[in-house]
Amino acid sequence: AAPVSGSSPAVSEAEALERLMREAGSHGGLDLEALSPLARSIAARGAGDDPLPSLLAPADGFHLARHAVNTAQIAVRIGRFLGGDIDLESVARLALLHDLGLTGADLDPGPTLHGVVSEEPLDPSGRRTDIEALQRMLPREERAAALVDPIVQVHALLGFEAPAPKAQADLRVQLVALAALVDRLFHGPAGGRQHDLHDITSILMEQHGRRFSPSLFRALLRAIPIFPIGALVELSSGDLARVVSLNEDNHFRPRVEITTASGGEGLMERRIVDLARAPFLHIRQRVAGLVRGVDAA
């Protein structure tokens, strides 16, 4: 897992995971001990404050190893805001292994692929949930056997089948499934790709709001807010404003700074409005570009 010169940590980790996946078939299963440093590294970065996009490995289409690393990083970042006793290293480990069945079914973990594997939430061929293929990639030990059920449950959620009761209760499973959807929308096929993580949060809440635990979506809104600090927005009044802070109780109604002409030539008036306390004012949409007199920081 040592970083490769000139590459980001996520790219180096994807390369290390790719090597482990390639070696698994001829070494009696994937080396879980060698996987641990990757999971620890991802968990440590996710606990920091670096912008999430800067932590992800770039991909264009479906690259199995990079998707696994990105899913792990996104899951850890969301899990950080869940609180409680979530073991982020355990979350990262499950995410790194959640598509191991594809490798066991002879899918090369290296090349970028375009097609049903990346375009469908659940591969129609069933390779992702092929128990025998998955077991071929895991060592014959108790802790490895305990990973099979959570991996299958992740894909039950991703496939939009009726999940087992345990999948509904296990936040690790839900974290990994939600993170996999985020990465698919961010790095997936060009036709369905979104270039803004904040838009992805909005899409997921609209399309899958009842699929995951409410506490998970609250954590998602903290990890990837729909209206991040610094974003420019158009208000229902027609004014343009900049988001200056979030409201923990209502992420759709942050505090904003409105900049308007004060009457004097070239003079601008700035005022802070807490949208949670302004029931007749709301955000109509986020906008690109700059507001006159407002810096983009």
Side-chain angles (χ1 to χ4, degrees):
V4 176
S5 176
S7 63
S8 71
V11 171
S12 301
E13 287 159 353
E15 292 171 352
L17 180 61
E18 183 181 331
R19 288 194 297 272
L20 290 175
M21 288 177 167
R22 290 183 189 281
E23 294 168 357
S26 57
H27 288 71
L30 190 141
D31 186 347
L32 295 182
E33 291 298 332
L35 191 73
S36 294
L38 296 179
R40 282 196 297 270
S41 174
I42 290 169
R45 283 205 312 281
D49 295 320
D50 290 337
L52 182 57
S54 70
L55 303 180
L56 305 179
D60 182 13
F62 183 80
H63 183 289
L64 193 153
R66 293 192 180 196
H67 172 65
V69 167
N70 288 342
T71 296
Q73 191 67 77
I74 295 166
V76 165
R77 177 56 61 90
I78 298 171
R80 167 190 166 189
F81 292 100
L82 267 176
D85 297 323
I86 290 288
D87 181 351
L88 295 182
E89 186 176 330
S90 173
V91 169
R93 184 180 300 107
L94 176 59
L96 290 172
L97 297 173
H98 83 280
D99 264 342
L100 197 60
L102 288 175
T103 310
D106 299 325
L107 181 74
D108 192 322
T112 297
L113 304 174
H114 300 273
V116 293
V117 170
S118 58
E119 292 173 355
E120 299 294 335
L122 180 66
D123 176 20
S125 72
R127 286 178 292 177
R128 278 186 162 113
T129 50
D130 185 330
I131 301 297
E132 291 184 2
L134 179 57
Q135 290 174 333
R136 281 197 296 271
M137 298 298 295
L138 290 168
R140 297 183 180 279
E141 55 180 87
E142 186 175 346
R143 62 174 176 162
L147 291 167
V148 173
D149 189 47
I151 290 173
V152 171
Q153 290 180 24
V154 166
H155 290 293
L157 281 171
L158 286 174
F160 305 103
E161 301 167 358
K166 185 176 179 182
Q168 295 174 333
D170 190 338
L171 283 177
R172 282 190 318 149
V173 167
Q174 293 191 55
L175 268 172
V176 172
L178 183 61
L181 283 174
V182 172
D183 186 60
R184 176 177 171 267
L185 287 171
F186 194 50
H187 286 129
R193 187 184 313 144
Q194 300 291 323
H195 295 287
D196 191 302
L197 281 172
H198 308 287
D199 287 340
I200 289 172
T201 295
S202 180
I203 291 168
L204 289 176
M205 291 194 67
E206 179 183 353
Q207 295 182 355
H208 308 298
R210 297 184 179 182
R211 191 69 187 170
F212 299 93
S213 162
S215 63
L216 200 62
F217 272 116
R218 286 194 292 270
L220 174 65
L221 281 167
R222 294 185 66 189
I224 314 174
I226 291 176
F227 303 116
I229 294 174
L232 300 178
V233 295
E234 179 188 351
L235 303 179
S236 55
S237 62
D239 291 315
L240 293 180
R242 182 182 64 173
V243 176
V244 294
S245 64
L246 305 180
N247 277 313
E248 289 298 321
D249 294 332
N250 191 335
H251 291 270
F252 298 95
R253 303 185 72 83
R255 298 173 188 87
V256 300
E257 179 184 68
I258 302 175
T259 304
T260 56
S262 63
E265 184 176 352
L267 297 179
M268 306 296 288
E269 178 185 351
R270 300 186 181 193
R271 58 192 176 97
I272 303 295
V273 176
D274 185 347
L275 294 180
R277 298 177 179 273
F280 300 108
L281 193 62
H282 63 270
I283 293 175
R284 185 175 292 158
Q285 61 183 345
R286 283 196 300 126
V287 297
L290 300 175
V291 179
R292 184 184 173 192
V294 179
D295 57 30

